[in-house]
Each structure stands twice: as structure tokens, then as C-alpha cells.
Amino acid sequence: MSSETGRRGPGRRGLLFIVSAPSGTGKTTLVERLVETVPDLVKSRSYTSRPARAGERDGLDYNFITRDRFEAMAAVGEFLEHADVFGNLYGTRAADTEAILAGGRDVVLVIDVQGARQVRRGGLATVAVFVLPPSFAVLERRLRGRSQDAEAVIRRRLETAREEVAAFTEYDYLVVNDELDACVDRLRGIVLAERARLCSAEQVIAPILESFHRKT
Ligand code: 5GP
């Protein structure tokens, strides 16, 4: 592990990060920027029954699948967590996450509050971060500025945001997305600090300690 980046090594299990935020907070952009700047950190790709928005690419932004296929996957327990968000189904495939963690890399799930609860209930160790917009008014402006959604959809997202924000106490860290670069820096700080925790850094410490005990 380099001291600057907290690079992960093979032979150790990755850490499972969760990032939740009300829709329109900019969490997807934040996490995409985060994984570009932190080595060995991967953004999980969710499955969804929602149709792709303009500019979204299948297999990159999401795995876009039919509702029938989603339900079939859920029925056989393929999802680590899944939820109905705004009438569409979203889920994280357990095998995808496990492959990343087992390979020694850290993974970030960008999922809603219901999904985060399911992952924790499943007993996996997680580091959960809640991202807040600077204010309700800013969130509303961002959702309207995106102008991809109908008025009814925007209203529903704002109502859900009110409920989701109340769940911030269930998280380990809270960051405000006031300015993109500053917020990415804060997230990066959280990842690096978690990597430096004694329980996460055991593999790094062991050979150093051993070198102290070696007879010269
Ligand atoms: P959007 O349709 O705007 O991309 O996402 C809507 C909401 O679904 C967001 O709050 C997002 O975090 C959540 N979401 C995306 N993927 C997943 C997932 O795999 N599981 C859960 N529980 N929520 C997800």
C-alpha cells in the first residue's frame, strides 16, 4: 500500500463503500470522479428495469434489463440488495460485488436508502456515506435543470428526498455536495482513512512488524 493512495494489494479482501443521496444531488458524477482518482476503487454497476435516459449506455451506466428478467434474477437470490425506486427496479448483483472484493479491490455501491439498509441487514461490513445537497432549493434547481423528467417525476423525487434525508443518521459519514471538486476530495479522504484503519491495514503492517523482529 503506497502511503499516498492507499493502494490495495492482492490477497486481501476489499472494503465495501455505500454512497446514498437524494436523486439530483450529483452522486453519480461524484463517484465517477472519485474512482478516477483513487486506485483500486471500483463503482458497482447496478441492474435496473428503468429505460435508459438519453446519453446513458447499457453495460456502463447501468445494466438495463427488462422487468421480467429483473424479477427472475431477484427470485433466485442473485441480488445483494434490490429496491423499487420511483416505480423502477434497481439492484446490485451479489456475484459482481463479491468478485471485486475477493480480488482485493474496494467497491462503491451508489444505492438508495432502502438498499443500504438491506446490505447492512445482510451482515456485511460497510462504510456508508450520505451525500447532502447544500439545500432543498439547490436540489430542486438541479432536478429541474436536468429537464429530463416530467414535472410529476420531479415532484415525486423531491418528496422522496425529504424522507431520505431523514435517514442520514444511519450512515457513517456525511458530506455536502456544495462544490464538485471539494466534495470529491472529501470522499477521497474517507476512502483513504478507511484503508488506513488498523483492521484494514493488517496485511501492510504484518511484513513491516516482521522486519522489526528479524535478527540482523
Ligand atoms: P436514477 O434512476 O436517477 O439513476 O436513480 C434513482 C435512484 O435509484 C437513485 O437514488 C439511485 O441511488 C438508486 N439506485 C441506483 N442503483 C441502485 C441499486 O442497485 N440499488 C438500489 N437500492 N438503489 C439504486
Side-chain angles (χ1 to χ4, degrees):
M1 176 157 78
S2 101
S3 55
E4 265 174 71
T5 61
R7 189 178 280 280
R8 316 298 285 171
R12 87 165 312 288
R13 199 175 157 78
L15 300 172
L16 179 56
F17 291 92
I18 292 177
V19 172
S20 300
S23 176
T25 306
K27 59 185 176 294
T28 307
T29 312
L30 273 175
V31 172
E32 279 168 2
R33 291 279 292 274
L34 175 71
V35 299
E36 278 168 19
T37 65
V38 180
D40 301 325
L41 181 69
V42 180
K43 179 178 174 288
S44 159
R45 191 179 311 115
S46 295
Y47 288 73
T48 183
S49 69
R50 166 170 79 63
R53 295 194 187 110
E56 282 183 330
R57 299 141 303 171
D58 184 31
L60 284 171
D61 299 293
Y62 281 104
N63 294 304
F64 293 101
I65 58 174
T66 62
R67 182 170 274 266
D68 282 351
R69 167 131 186 260
F70 193 107
E71 284 169 352
M73 287 173 73
V76 293
E78 280 202 46
F79 291 117
L80 173 64
E81 62 75 35
H82 62 98
D84 183 319
V85 189
F86 310 121
N88 293 307
L89 304 175
Y90 296 82
T92 308
R93 191 165 163 260
D96 295 350
T97 309
E98 183 51 35
I100 299 167
L101 295 174
R105 291 185 300 165
D106 298 339
V107 64
V108 193
L109 312 183
V110 185
I111 60 178
D112 82 327
V113 167
Q114 312 169 64
R117 285 187 186 133
Q118 284 176 43
V119 176
R120 274 195 303 265
R121 236 181 280 133
L124 283 180
T126 60
V127 179
V129 184
F130 198 85
V131 182
L132 275 175
S135 69
F136 186 79
V138 169
L139 181 69
E140 183 166 12
R141 214 179 310 132
R142 283 185 190 159
L143 280 175
R144 292 191 188 287
R146 204 153 74 170
S147 73
Q148 288 171 336
D149 301 309
E151 178 61 23
V153 174
I154 292 173
R155 286 196 172 283
R156 190 143 54 106
R157 285 176 187 245
L158 287 170
E159 278 318 307
T160 305
R162 287 189 209 275
E163 291 161 24
E164 286 192 323
V165 162
F168 80 89
T169 53
E170 298 169 24
Y171 287 71
D172 303 302
Y173 293 93
L174 190 64
V175 295
V176 178
N177 188 13
D178 43 6
E179 201 272 310
L180 182 68
D181 287 338
C183 194
V184 172
D185 279 350
R186 284 176 212 131
L187 289 175
R188 187 167 185 270
I190 292 168
V191 172
L192 299 189
E194 287 295 327
R195 286 181 177 184
R197 273 182 189 273
L198 275 188
C199 55
S200 312
E202 200 181 311
Q203 194 210 357
V204 178
I205 294 162
I208 298 174
L209 287 182
E210 199 195 285
S211 75
F212 275 74
H213 292 122
R214 223 175 284 141
K215 298 247 167 9
T216 48

